[in-house]
Amino acid sequence: MVRGVILFIITIISVLMCSACGGEQEEVLAPGRYTFYNEAAGGYLAYQGNALTLSSTPVEWVLKAESEKGVHVYAGDTELMLDIDNAYIREGTAIKIWSYTGYDAQIWNVTGNTAFSFLYSGDHRYCLGFEKGQAVLQLRNTRNGAQEWKAVKTGELAKEYCSVFGSRGIIELRLPLDISTVISAARLQQWANDLETAYDSYYELTGFKPYQTILVEAYKPCEYIGYVMDGSNIIHIDRDFIYEDLRKMASRRNDWNFCALHEMGHMFDFGRPWTFEAEMMTDLKLAYVLEQNGAGAAPSEFPASDCFYGKDIIRAYEILGGDFSKTYNIFGCARRFLQIKEEIGWEPFRQTFHWMQENANAYSATKEGKLHNFVSVLSGYSGKDIKSYFSAGEWASMIEKTR
């Protein structure tokens, strides 16, 4: 009798669970162009300025694949997308449209059956809803009609970029469709392969692997020439910049591209115990990649006729950065560390990175503390007083930079 009661309870729970989820497997809406109508709210999903509104007439939205996590939902052909205000994941937080931030608060899974919900990709308990005419983040409830949208597909996405994959699938390059006007397909393939080798070299130096794959996205306009976001495996490079940069690269021998290497290097620094100054540290590690592989690169300040191979990158740093005993500069400081490397070699640096990576929780989280710790560990592995290689003014400028 007890066993029968237990089976009955399990059956009831299963039915309730099936009812709660709609009774069938939900469909994930594919990238494309859509309008979304909400019967309960009596309007189409629309926008005015940065605010979400409801409209009596259809408004087009564009779903573009962002990553394996989900899609960006763009307001038509603008650069604005659905965004959870301040990335504050809590019921009642406003949802608006905003420019790209790199945070998961802009990534959605649009799922459903006859009607669809905009689920926050990081936690499917939350979705887009309307409350008193305001678009807000709500706990999902399939019985809440204000969270359910009828989708009508209005068109396919136009192809925006061409993809080149590295031979091992670690790197994907996304480039403008007409990039072949400045560089050959064979050269692009070699670049993708070279970036995979660079990835291995960064791991070899630091003992840290931030991501399994890296996407180099260079077909969109960017506010900066290049940048990365903490927690994201995307290297962003400005569309206008990439044409001139790859034109230079195509004319050079074995150029691995300074911009992409620099941004990749940042990925091996976020949250690490050695990152007392991120820009200098990434250019120091970049020098290791070039020297270990006999590769070339040149910062964007240099013409196509200039490229620096292997450890010769120190010359570029000398040209771009000078005395930093009074005012800190990135290239001057990187140059000093490379001069130290010439005396002690790369092995103490590698040992220092690995030790600090393996004992990350033992080190200070402040930038000044990271500087002292990096120099102290490097001194231990090299058998040299690393601080003594810096003048009093240089050391003071480095300390000032960390504060």
Side-chain angles (χ1 to χ4, degrees), residues 21-273:
C21 70
E24 57 183 300
Q25 184 69 34
E26 291 189 320
E27 174 190 352
V28 177
L29 209 58
R33 294 176 173 272
Y34 296 88
T35 61
F36 295 98
Y37 182 76
N38 190 293
E39 287 188 347
Y44 288 92
L45 184 62
Y47 54 94
Q48 184 172 8
N50 291 107
L52 293 180
T53 62
L54 294 168
S55 170
S56 60
T57 56
V59 174
E60 192 171 64
W61 294 83
V62 181
L63 276 57
K64 296 182 182 179
E66 160 59 14
S67 66
E68 67 279 358
K69 295 180 181 179
V71 297
H72 282 156
V73 182
Y74 287 88
D77 291 317
T78 74
E79 290 296 318
L80 303 178
M81 62 188 76
L82 283 191
D83 175 273
I84 300 171
D85 195 30
N86 291 316
Y88 188 45
I89 312 304
R90 184 172 178 175
E91 193 170 22
T93 300
I95 298 178
K96 59 185 188 303
I97 55 173
W98 201 254
S99 55
Y100 178 84
T101 64
Y103 293 108
D104 285 355
Q106 295 182 326
I107 303 178
W108 303 84
N109 302 123
V110 187
T111 64
N113 296 306
T114 57
F116 293 82
S117 296
F118 292 84
L119 306 183
Y120 163 53
S121 66
D123 187 341
H124 283 187
R125 292 179 302 164
Y126 293 97
C127 69
L128 165 67
F130 267 80
E131 188 174 290
K132 298 179 181 178
Q134 302 295 313
V136 294
L137 195 64
Q138 294 181 332
L139 287 170
R140 191 186 187 197
N141 178 357
T142 55
R143 295 182 179 87
N144 182 351
Q147 298 176 357
E148 303 290 314
W149 304 83
K150 288 187 177 295
V152 175
K153 192 165 189 178
T154 56
E156 300 290 345
L157 294 181
K159 189 173 181 181
E160 295 183 280
Y161 58 84
C162 60
S163 286
V164 181
F165 292 88
S167 59
R168 292 182 289 144
I170 296 172
I171 296 292
E172 179 188 355
L173 307 175
R174 290 185 180 176
L175 302 163
L177 291 171
D178 62 346
I179 199 66
S180 61
T181 59
V182 300
I183 192 168
S184 70
R187 186 69 184 84
L188 289 175
Q189 183 61 63
Q190 186 59 53
W191 182 32
N193 296 345
D194 291 340
L195 288 179
E196 291 190 332
T197 302
Y199 183 78
D200 293 340
S201 294
Y202 280 121
Y203 175 52
E204 177 183 89
L205 177 62
T206 64
F208 172 61
K209 184 175 288 188
Y211 308 107
Q212 296 302 311
T213 60
I214 291 179
L215 169 63
V216 180
E217 186 178 88
Y219 69 96
K220 297 178 181 177
C222 295
E223 184 178 358
Y224 306 102
I225 286 175
Y227 70 94
V228 292
M229 300 283 291
D230 189 7
S232 170
N233 71 331
I234 303 175
I235 295 173
H236 301 270
I237 301 178
D238 179 63
R239 176 189 171 92
D240 289 340
F241 172 79
I242 200 66
Y243 283 102
E244 181 58 27
D245 210 38
L246 293 189
R247 184 178 288 110
K248 291 179 183 178
M249 199 173 96
S251 68
R252 295 168 176 157
R253 173 182 59 84
N254 199 29
D255 178 4
W256 285 22
N257 192 272
F258 191 94
C259 180
L261 292 177
H262 176 93
E263 300 305 335
M264 183 185 289
H266 279 311
M267 293 178 165
F268 290 81
D269 282 338
F270 285 124
R272 299 302 94 202

Side-chain angles (χ1 to χ4, degrees), residues 14 26 42-43 62 67 91 179 226 258 275 279 286 292 294 350 358 400:
S14 299
E26 291 189 320
V62 181
S67 66
E91 193 170 22
I179 199 66
F258 191 94
T275 314
E279 298 302 324
L286 185 156
Q292 294 302 110
R350 191 192 69 79
E358 292 164 6
E400 181 63 26

Side-chain angles (χ1 to χ4, degrees), residues 341-352:
K341 182 273 303 179
E342 283 298 292
E343 183 166 333
I344 68 174
W346 278 114
E347 184 58 19
F349 282 92
R350 191 192 69 79
Q351 291 171 316
T352 295

